[in-house]
Amino acid sequence: RNHTALVFVTALVVGGALLLSTRLQDGLLSSLSVLVTTISEGGLRMLGVDVIRSDTTLVAPNLGFGMGIHNDCNGAWAHLVFLAAVLAFPAGWRAKLIGLAVGEALLFALNIFRVISLFLIGVYAPSLFRAAHVYVWQFLIIGCALLLFTVWVDKVVRRPA
């Protein structure tokens, strides 16, 4: 048990330090933010929203709303929580690789849903945007990472024989 906790905390601390580093902020995380913004733009267009993307900013000029998807909004922290939990859990490497491949992809998709929903809240219920962004979705995206972890443990690691 101590080993599991040590791996989890170490992964969070090391991963958190890396996520906060200028090198990662300016490189991989910026690219991730652009990717999240681009895919979210496509999702909003599929929903019929007239949206313009510029780098990591989405604007609906006819609806008077815009928002930026910054490095703290790209889901990286939720991905780190999931990664740390999977790495720390006592399971074989095959199960861990399956969990990371499937779980991280699902978490990425959930984060796209998060960004699109926040944009729509900003357009249609702007007074709720701050609470939805800062409180509701911050909690939910980390909660989704933990839920995906528990599903992985239940369905992959401890599946019935």
Side-chain angles (χ1 to χ4, degrees):
R1 291 179 196 244
N2 289 339
H3 173 73
T4 299
L6 180 64
V7 171
F8 182 72
V9 170
T10 301
L12 286 178
V13 169
V14 171
L18 288 171
L19 288 179
L20 293 172
S21 72
T22 303
R23 185 177 198 139
L24 214 58
Q25 288 279 327
D26 294 343
L28 183 63
L29 291 177
S30 281
S31 297
L32 177 60
S33 296
V34 170
L35 179 63
V36 168
T37 308
T38 302
I39 294 171
S40 298
E41 173 196 23
L44 287 163
R45 287 187 184 281
M46 286 175 39
L47 294 173
V49 178
D50 182 25
V51 63
I52 297 169
R53 181 187 68 81
S54 176
D55 196 33
T56 59
T57 302
L58 295 171
V59 177
N62 298 334
L63 301 172
F65 179 76
M67 71 180 209
I69 291 84
H70 306 289
N71 286 349
D72 290 337
C73 303
N74 60 22
W77 289 96
H79 287 280
L80 175 60
V81 169
F82 182 75
L83 172 72
V86 170
L87 290 178
F89 195 82
W93 282 105
R94 184 178 187 283
K96 288 182 185 206
L97 290 174
I98 291 169
L100 291 173
V102 174
E104 294 290 1
L106 288 172
L107 198 53
F108 182 83
L110 285 166
N111 192 55
I112 298 297
F113 176 79
R114 171 186 159 274
V115 170
I116 290 171
S117 72
L118 284 171
F119 192 88
L120 294 173
I121 290 168
V123 167
Y124 297 109
S127 64
L128 300 176
F129 178 80
R130 182 173 171 6
H133 178 254
V134 174
Y135 302 111
V136 176
W137 266 117
Q138 293 284 354
F139 169 78
L140 283 178
I141 198 69
I142 297 296
C144 287
L146 295 173
L147 178 63
L148 286 169
F149 168 73
T150 59
V151 168
W152 168 72
V153 169
D154 186 53
K155 300 295 183 193
V156 177
V157 178
R158 295 187 179 152
R159 67 181 149 184

